[in-house]
């Protein structure tokens, strides 16, 4: 009789305590030599038997059905099957005498035997895998309910095997954040983002490109804003990379619920000019290579409706306003550095003031402690203790207020300096944008500085500067460092 020696080792956890394939082969080969069993072929398989579809098992069945072999030699019956379909096939072939013997390390099963024992063993193997699966699922549910993730960490995170937690992958996480920001902006497709990230060096663990299909799965995964989805939704203990709002906006865009249309301004000033006579907006038209602006006459009674203003004239007038606000970048940088140096000179005084207050505060704490010790030792009467303790507490509170005020003042002065520099640079950059010649750039420059531009008799009748740029409109051009330093009226505060 010819046997097929079949060895199987599952890569899954339920079989980690079972002998390895090499051990099975060695033990069974010794058994075959001892029992004079003829081995036709040795088949090995590393795959779970909890579901049908094992290719090597199917190869063994094909050899037995073709009567090229008569029996099976395996470690235990659970190596052959852990599911009722494969188990039933083995039992049926044994009963039909297609398989003449199934030998295990412990016993032999023959066609004439009572099928009950074999059926019980195969059923126990099937029940074991079912129980194990339920135990794993129950453990996973418990971990999810406690905020843990029971699997491999998503891209952008990593598993801490020691603590059994999920940590942020500091190298990958910034790409995840950028993915959501870039895609939700509507300016990039997933394919474009994939290419950009690849050029920047982003790779998977296997060293491959992160394709758009993977980016799609990342966007759909709520894990990145702190919610775990696995047969239900659970709040995770891991650190979110993005906000739920950003995740929702990105997914709405991905699902087509939001369709963004890029704003294409063919005319720089359309929609931001108004007619002084009727208050309606001005629109624009292009004729014979020139752009003209005119009142829309929305109220039907405008006298200037038929007055057309050449775009070049408006550009010149608005440009003069913007240029009047700008200060050369070099002057801005020099003034900024000069102010910083001035603040540095004041730092010693400020540090000494803070240090003195902290020393006074500590001295009061020491007095408070000694006073309490004297009271507890009976050296100071209760009435005297309360009176002195209250006085010390008042002084302590007063010093705390002084310290807080001084620290806030320092922070505010630094923030104000940065804000002032930003205001000057914004005005300077607006002149650069306006001078580039592109309609869209002109509009961007105007909207950054000006409000309520009103037109009358083809001229700018009035306009307003945005809040923080009003002090810059001095009516003349600042050209020197000294003139800039003399601008004492630029008493600006940070935005609330």
């Amino acid at each position: 009789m010819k046997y097929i020696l079949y060895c199987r080792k599952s890569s899954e956890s339920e079989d980690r305590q079972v002998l390895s394939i090499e051990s099975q082969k060695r033990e069974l080969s010794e058994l075959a030599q001892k029992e004079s069993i003829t081995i036709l072929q040795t088949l090995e398989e590393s795959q779970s038997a909890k579901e049908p579809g094992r290719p090597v098992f199917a190869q063994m069945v094909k050899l037995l059905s073709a009567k090229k072999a008569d029996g099976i030699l395996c470690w235990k019956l659970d190596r052959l099957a852990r599911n009722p379909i494969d188990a039933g096939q083995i039992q049926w072939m044994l009963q039909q005498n297609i398989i003449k013997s199934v030998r295990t390390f412990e016993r032999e099963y023959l066609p004439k035997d009572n099928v009950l024992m074999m059926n019980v063993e195969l059923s126990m193997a099937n029940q074991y895998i079912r129980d194990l699966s339920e135990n794993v699922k129950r453990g996973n549910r418990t971990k999810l309910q406690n905020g843990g993730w029971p699997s491999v960490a998503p891209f952008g995170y990593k598993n801490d095997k020691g603590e059994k937690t999920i940590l942020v992958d500091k190298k990958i996480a910034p790409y995840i954040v950028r993915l959501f920001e870039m895609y939700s902006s509507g300016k990039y497709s997933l394919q474009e983002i994939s290419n950009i990230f690849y050029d920047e060096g982003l790779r998977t663990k296997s060293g491959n490109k992160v394709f758009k299909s993977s980016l799609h799965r990342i966007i759909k995964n709520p894990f990145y804003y702190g919610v775990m989805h696995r047969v239900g939704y659970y709040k995770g203990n891991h650190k979110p990379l993005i906000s739920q709002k950003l995740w929702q906006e990105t997914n709405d865009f991905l699902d087509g619920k939001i369709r963004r249309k890029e704003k294409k301004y063919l005319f720089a000033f359309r929609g931001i000019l108004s007619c002084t006579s009727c208050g309606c907006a001005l629109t624009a038209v292009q004729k014979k290579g020139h752009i003209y602006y005119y009142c829309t006459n929305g109220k039907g009674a405008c006298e200037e409706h038929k007055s057309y203003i050449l775009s070049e004239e408006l550009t010149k007038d608005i440009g003069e306003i913007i240029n009047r606000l700008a200060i050369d970048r070099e002057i801005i940088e020099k003034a900024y550095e000069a102010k910083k140096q001035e603040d540095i000179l004041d730092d010693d005084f400020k540090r000494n003031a803070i240090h003195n207050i902290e020393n006074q505060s500590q001295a009061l704490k020491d007095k408070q402690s000694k006073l309490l010790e004297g009271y507890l030792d009976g050296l100071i009467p209760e009435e005297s203790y309360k009176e002195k303790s209250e006085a010390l507490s008042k002084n302590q509170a007063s010093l705390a207020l002084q310290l807080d005020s001084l620290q806030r003042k320092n922070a505010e002065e630094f923030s104000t300096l940065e804000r002032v520099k930003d205001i000057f640079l914004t005005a300077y950059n607006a002149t650069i944008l306006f001078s580039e010649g592109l309609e869209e750039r002109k509009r961007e420059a105007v909207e950054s500085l000006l409000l309520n531009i009103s037109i009358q008799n083809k001229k700018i009748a009035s306009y307003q500067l945005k809040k923080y740029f009003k002090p810059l409109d001095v009516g003349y051009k600042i050209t020197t460092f000294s003139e800039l330093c003399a601008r004492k009226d630029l008493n600006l505060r940070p935005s609330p």
Side-chain angles (χ1 to χ4, degrees), residues 114-274:
N114 189 321
V115 299
L116 180 61
M117 183 58 69
M118 187 178 193
N119 191 42
V120 168
E121 288 192 40
L122 289 170
S123 296
M124 288 175 64
N126 181 39
Q127 187 61 40
Y128 173 80
I129 200 71
R130 292 181 64 188
D131 290 343
L132 185 64
S133 176
E134 286 302 316
N135 290 338
V136 170
K137 290 178 181 177
R138 183 173 63 251
N140 286 344
R141 285 195 299 270
T142 300
K143 188 164 186 177
L144 287 165
Q145 289 166 356
N146 291 332
W149 181 246
S151 188
V152 178
F155 196 56
Y157 291 89
K158 56 185 178 181
N159 295 90
D160 185 342
K161 295 182 180 179
E163 298 294 331
K164 295 183 179 180
T165 56
I166 300 295
L167 303 176
V168 173
D169 188 331
K170 294 182 179 180
K171 292 183 178 179
I172 305 298
Y175 287 101
I176 302 298
V177 177
R178 284 181 59 205
L179 165 63
F180 281 90
E181 292 175 345
M182 290 172 70
Y183 191 73
S184 64
S185 72
K187 297 178 181 179
Y188 305 89
S189 67
L190 289 180
Q191 185 60 60
E192 289 172 333
I193 296 174
S194 174
N195 294 337
I196 291 171
F197 285 176
Y198 182 77
D199 292 339
E200 292 178 356
L202 179 64
R203 301 290 187 274
T204 63
K205 290 182 179 179
S206 57
N208 296 322
K209 181 179 184 178
V210 182
F211 294 100
K212 69 175 185 178
S213 58
S214 299
L215 298 180
H216 186 281
R217 287 193 295 272
I218 290 172
I219 288 175
K220 299 299 292 183
N221 193 348
F223 194 93
Y224 296 101
Y225 76 85
V227 172
M228 304 175 295
H229 178 44
R230 189 163 180 172
V231 193
Y233 291 88
Y234 305 85
K235 184 182 181 301
N237 293 330
H238 60 279
K239 181 180 179 180
L241 297 183
I242 60 170
S243 67
Q244 183 177 0
K245 180 181 178 183
L246 178 57
W247 182 88
Q248 190 62 58
E249 288 176 351
T250 308
N251 275 266
D252 286 345
F253 185 55
L254 183 65
D255 296 337
K257 295 179 181 179
I258 298 176
R259 296 187 180 274
R260 289 182 174 83
K261 296 181 180 179
E262 290 190 15
K263 296 181 178 180
K264 296 182 179 179
Y265 297 110
L266 298 177
F267 307 109
F269 312 126
R270 183 169 65 180
I272 60 176
L273 305 175
S274 64

Side-chain angles (χ1 to χ4, degrees), residues 334-346:
K334 285 182 178 179
Y336 174 74
E337 291 301 324
K339 180 59 178 173
K340 282 182 66 175
Q341 291 300 321
E342 180 183 323
D343 290 344
I344 290 173
L345 295 176
D346 290 339

Side-chain angles (χ1 to χ4, degrees), residues 47-63:
Q47 187 171 334
S48 172
K50 65 182 180 181
E51 294 179 356
R54 286 169 290 154
V56 178
F57 178 82
Q59 180 186 350
M60 179 181 66
V61 170
K62 187 176 181 180
L63 290 171

Side-chain angles (χ1 to χ4, degrees), residues 229 247 358 415 482:
H229 178 44
W247 182 88
E358 290 175 341
S415 178
S482 299

Side-chain angles (χ1 to χ4, degrees), residues 48 67 79 92 95 117 138 164 170 188 214 226 262 284 301 303 320 342-343 346 353 364 393 415 425 444 447 453 466:
S48 172
K67 299 189 177 181
R79 300 299 87 203
W92 179 250
Q95 291 180 41
M117 183 58 69
R138 183 173 63 251
K164 295 183 179 180
K170 294 182 179 180
Y188 305 89
S214 299
E262 290 190 15
E303 297 180 357
E320 288 177 356
E342 180 183 323
D343 290 344
D346 290 339
L364 290 176
S393 296
S415 178
L425 288 177
E444 187 177 340
E447 289 185 328
I453 304 174
K466 288 190 174 181

